[in-house]
Amino acid sequence: MYDVIIIGAGPAGTVAGYLLGRAGLSVLLLDRKDFPRKKACAGGITPKAMALFPFDISCLIRRTCREVKIIRPGNVSFTVKAKAPLCYITKRMDLDAYSLEKAVQAGCRFRKIGRIIRLDQDDCGVNLTLSSDGKTDILRAGYLIGADGANSKIRRLIGGQKSRIIKLPALEADVPVKNAGLHPMTFDFSRDIQGYYWIFPRKTHVNIGIFSAMPNGTMNRDLLKNYAEDRLKTDILTNVKGYPIATSYGKVHLGTGRVLLAGDAAGLAEPLLGEGIYSALKSGILSARAIEHTVGRKSLTPSDALGFYRQALGALQLDLRLYRCCASILYQFPKWSLALGSCNILHNCFSRGYSTGKTLHEILMPF
């Protein structure tokens, strides 16, 4: 019997595990992969996300970007600059392995698992039935955090498929180029898609990709190859990977009973640029605090943890509504939206707030 079982050892799961383990709770962290594992992710960490890590990850930062190039429709560009960093570039495989190591050091147990078969709840806890190597195993805990990503099995098992979660596709590749560090971090809206292409510089290569703001957006290797030839003068692609980014439209499903959902499992990625690490960290932290607040208090019921969690996530959900509004305007009217965004006064105001770690509602509604 554990106090908490966490499914998924990404940012949401490991940060929740770290905080709960440090608080003295017995925590079992489960994942289907061995670590370090390859993970499709461009590796950009925003200043607001950087500030949420409860442990120092400076050793994982491969590049700090203080300038971002924006390419508008018509192939016209402008540059957003800030004195403080606008983005930190990491390698997601290293970040996940390091975060898991920190969670284990804080007292979590980690276990690789096979299939999750079923999940049952009663008045006293949660039963999780697993199948590995033909054997069935039942684990029990007081609470469970589902942090198992966009295709969350935990969300399906508790009926979360009824929530309005939309999976936005992304495709990325690494491109070996000379003088990779000379390429600016770039968001390219000049192509004929409802979304954008990106270029993230590393030491020996650049990471390029496509994000679609539509769930049925077309993307394939040839599109990336053509983009690399056009922008980088090479057609060599390595580590080509596609992945879904889960965002929620309407009411966010955060769990039921003793089960709390975090990160992409709850559809908490923002739909404007598809950034999800901040919401994963924020929801992982708040789900851990909600459980810690409830465990051992006779005056509180188990469902109070979910209530505390919902209340604490209010600001994040406000941000998601604002991101949905901004995404609707940007991708419906990209030419005019980005022409307005190229105004120095506007993007300088945004970059100052963004680089200091402010959330979207703090930037747009400072009072």
Side-chain angles (χ1 to χ4, degrees), residues 155-177:
R155 182 178 69 236
R156 295 197 300 272
L157 287 174
I158 63 172
Q161 71 272 20
K162 297 177 182 178
S163 59
R164 293 191 62 197
I165 288 181
I166 295 177
K167 298 175 186 177
L168 304 177
L171 182 69
E172 67 171 26
D174 292 332
V175 182
V177 294

Side-chain angles (χ1 to χ4, degrees), residues 174-210:
D174 292 332
V175 182
V177 294
K178 292 182 179 179
N179 302 316
L182 297 180
H183 290 273
M185 185 176 183
T186 303
F187 292 91
D188 188 344
F189 297 88
S190 68
R191 304 285 161 146
D192 189 21
I193 63 168
Q194 285 188 288
Y196 65 89
Y197 286 71
W198 75 75
I199 300 174
F200 281 17
R202 307 287 174 84
K203 288 185 178 180
T204 60
H205 66 277
V206 297
N207 177 273
I208 68 171
I210 313 171

Side-chain angles (χ1 to χ4, degrees), residues 7-14 29-41 91-100 110 112 147-150 172 241 277 280:
I7 312 295
T14 51
L29 186 55
L30 306 175
D31 200 285
R32 295 184 64 181
K33 300 290 186 179
D34 286 317
F35 285 71
R37 53 127 189 233
K38 290 185 178 181
K39 176 69 176 180
C41 177
K91 187 175 182 180
R92 180 62 185 272
M93 181 172 70
D94 295 341
L95 176 64
D96 285 353
Y98 185 81
S99 297
L100 176 57
F110 174 72
K112 180 184 176 182
D148 49 337
E172 67 171 26
K241 307 181 192 73
I277 292 182

